[in-house]
Amino acid sequence: MNDKLLQQILEELQKMNQRIDTLEEGMNSRFDELKDSLSRKHVENIKADELILQSQKETLARLDDIERGMYRLEKIELRQNRTTAKVDELEADVTLLRDKLQN
């Protein structure tokens, strides 16, 4: 009787070990699937980050171009204002000389 009981216990232990092995295989398989999925997602995120970074660099370059263009426009406007002021002075001088010549 003890041998039979011992045999049943060993069989139950063996079945439990098989279930544990099956459970472990399933868990390892699922872990590998999750790891692969996360790795793919990580790669996708890296690619997305690189695209965002490239877009940011392009945007900053365009902003630099706009800033330089605005600076050039300001310089042109200053020169134009100085030229206009000088032309106004010359016109006033011409008017004075004309008036003097007519008198």
Side-chain angles (χ1 to χ4, degrees):
M1 185 123 161
N2 282 339
D3 287 341
K4 195 171 193 176
L5 184 59
L6 184 60
Q7 184 64 32
Q8 287 176 340
I9 292 173
L10 288 174
E11 287 174 5
E12 278 299 313
L13 281 173
Q14 192 174 25
K15 286 178 187 177
M16 286 176 64
N17 281 335
Q18 286 175 346
R19 280 186 261 161
I20 289 171
D21 289 343
T22 303
L23 180 62
E24 182 183 11
E25 287 174 12
M27 289 176 68
N28 284 337
S29 174
R30 184 67 183 134
F31 177 75
D32 289 342
E33 289 173 15
L34 287 171
K35 187 173 77 171
D36 290 344
S37 175
L38 288 174
S39 294
R40 283 192 300 273
K41 206 51 144 163
H42 182 70
V43 168
E44 290 172 12
N45 287 340
I46 288 173
K47 289 178 182 178
D49 289 347
E50 288 173 352
L51 290 174
I52 291 169
L53 184 60
Q54 181 62 33
S55 175
Q56 182 183 23
K57 287 178 182 178
E58 291 170 1
T59 301
L60 289 174
R62 282 185 278 182
L63 285 173
D64 285 344
D65 289 343
I66 290 169
E67 185 178 8
R68 282 191 294 277
M70 290 178 68
Y71 177 73
R72 284 192 297 268
L73 286 174
E74 288 173 355
K75 285 176 63 176
I76 289 170
E77 183 180 15
L78 287 173
R79 275 191 236 129
Q80 183 180 11
N81 289 342
R82 284 192 304 246
T83 302
T84 302
K86 190 67 173 172
V87 167
D88 290 345
E89 286 177 25
L90 291 172
E91 285 177 346
D93 289 347
V94 167
T95 301
L96 282 175
L97 289 173
R98 189 177 303 142
D99 288 345
K100 285 182 181 179
L101 286 173
Q102 287 177 357
N103 289 335

